[in-house]
Amino acid sequence: MHPLFLPRLVNGPFEDPALFIPFQFQRRALIFDLGDISRLAPRDLLKISHAFVTHTHMDHFIGFDHLLRCLLGRETDLSLYGPSGFIANVEGKLAGYSWDLVDRLSCGLRLHLHEVHPGRLLRRSYAGSERFAAESDATALPFAGPLHTEPAFEVSATVLQHSIPCLGLALKERFHVSILAPGLEAIGLQPGPWLTRFKNALYAGADPNSDFDLETGAGDPGGRFILGELQQKIARITAGQKIAYITDVGDTSANREAMVAFAHGADQLFIEAAFLHNERERASAKHHLTARQAGEIAALACARDFKLFHFSPRYEGRGEELVREAREAYQKTRDRVGRDSEA
Ligand SMILES: [Zn+2]
Ligand SMILES: [Zn+2]
């Protein structure tokens, strides 16, 4: 199976958090957190359509300027999401520059800011051509988890507690469509851009009895198929991919309960491990997780795999101790949960 999303941490675990999530076979990407992203090539930055920021501490947000600079002068839309206070934070950044020259750039960039509150989402847009003046007052929308929904996937958030509100983030593919090469071959079809159209028809829930037309040319013989019959022949539908991202949270009982439920069943959980557990008091005072807590949460959430990041600089050169502690906790917790469910 080719996963649709190929998430990768932009930096090493001692550096700023940012999870870059490009889409397989598409010039498109999402990003969770905007720490220092100078390692991303401009061609990757240009793929970003939506950026989700857990909170605006500097190490998670300093990359906003870099992204904005790269997109300036482009005819594109960038949607940004963050917790309470986010709109004022971005407006503050925008107010920090002089925009008199954007007229010459014929700047077609538009920013759509979204601020997450419990039960409520505020949205406000800004046009580069208007020197990033707000287009209107913020509008309020209901918020019950999902932040952004497309036919193929959804990004959702939960409000967790750091020293300030901090978003846990998850990306969930609705279901996964694998294309079967032998199936294509059997009916004499070549893979091509039409496959994206075919998958989109499935994600959009199109009537299986409807017609699906193939263009002729570009290696395709063309032809008309019944969508459901074509699906039977060339596709296999499996569970969708889930990626969860949690950072900068204290291990309080309310946070733990929310994290475990939110990350449930993740194929990949990216989770911070700022401290070793023998410094759990320091971790708690700074509203961060220890490696042991991260491993326990990953196991309780039944995450298939987890990756640690956001190590405190005090462990420079000792990163493997954090990894070992989290792995042990993950294994122990899984064993214990397994025994409890057998009993
Ligand atoms: Zn923080
Ligand atoms: Zn941080």
Side-chain angles (χ1 to χ4, degrees), residues 31-51:
I31 194 163
F32 287 178
D33 266 343
L34 289 171
D36 181 353
I37 51 168
S38 53
R39 275 205 191 107
L40 284 176
R43 69 167 182 283
D44 281 333
L45 292 169
L46 291 172
K47 292 176 187 165
I48 297 172
S49 61
H50 295 72

Side-chain angles (χ1 to χ4, degrees), residues 136-152:
S136 62
D137 289 341
T139 48
L141 305 161
F143 168 71
L147 284 181
H148 174 70
T149 304
E150 294 189 24

Side-chain angles (χ1 to χ4, degrees), residues 55 57 162 248:
H55 63 304
H57 281 159
H162 182 32
D248 294 60

Side-chain angles (χ1 to χ4, degrees), residues 55 57 59-60 162-163 248 288 310:
H55 63 304
H57 281 159
D59 51 332
H60 298 256
H162 182 32
S163 55
D248 294 60
H288 280 287
H310 214 358

Side-chain angles (χ1 to χ4, degrees), residues 246 259 269-273 289 293-294 297-298 306-309:
I246 289 173
M259 286 186 276
L269 169 62
F270 292 84
I271 186 163
E272 75 153 342
L289 295 178
Q293 290 161 350
I297 290 160
F306 70 98
K307 195 163 178 65
L308 303 179
F309 66 102

Side-chain angles (χ1 to χ4, degrees), residues 1-72:
M1 161 171 147
H2 295 291
L4 178 59
F5 307 112
L6 306 164
R8 66 171 201 265
L9 290 163
V10 175
N11 301 310
F14 288 98
E15 299 168 298
D16 283 1
L19 183 70
F20 181 65
I21 313 174
F23 292 29
Q24 178 96 282
F25 306 128
Q26 292 177 54
R27 290 162 64 102
R28 169 111 200 259
L30 310 176
I31 194 163
F32 287 178
D33 266 343
L34 289 171
D36 181 353
I37 51 168
S38 53
R39 275 205 191 107
L40 284 176
R43 69 167 182 283
D44 281 333
L45 292 169
L46 291 172
K47 292 176 187 165
I48 297 172
S49 61
H50 295 72
F52 301 84
V53 178
T54 57
H55 63 304
T56 50
H57 281 159
M58 211 168 188
D59 51 332
H60 298 256
F61 195 42
I62 198 163
F64 170 82
D65 294 45
H66 188 72
L67 179 61
L68 180 65
R69 186 179 193 182
C70 183
L71 296 180
L72 264 188

Side-chain angles (χ1 to χ4, degrees), residues 13-14 273-279 291 308 311-325:
F14 288 98
F275 295 95
L276 284 170
H277 204 66
N278 60 15
E279 300 216 62
L308 303 179
F311 297 169
S312 161
R314 66 204 292 115
Y315 303 109
E316 196 76 60
R318 298 165 56 200
E320 76 287 351
E321 288 179 44
L322 289 149
V323 173
R324 200 179 318 126
E325 181 176 284

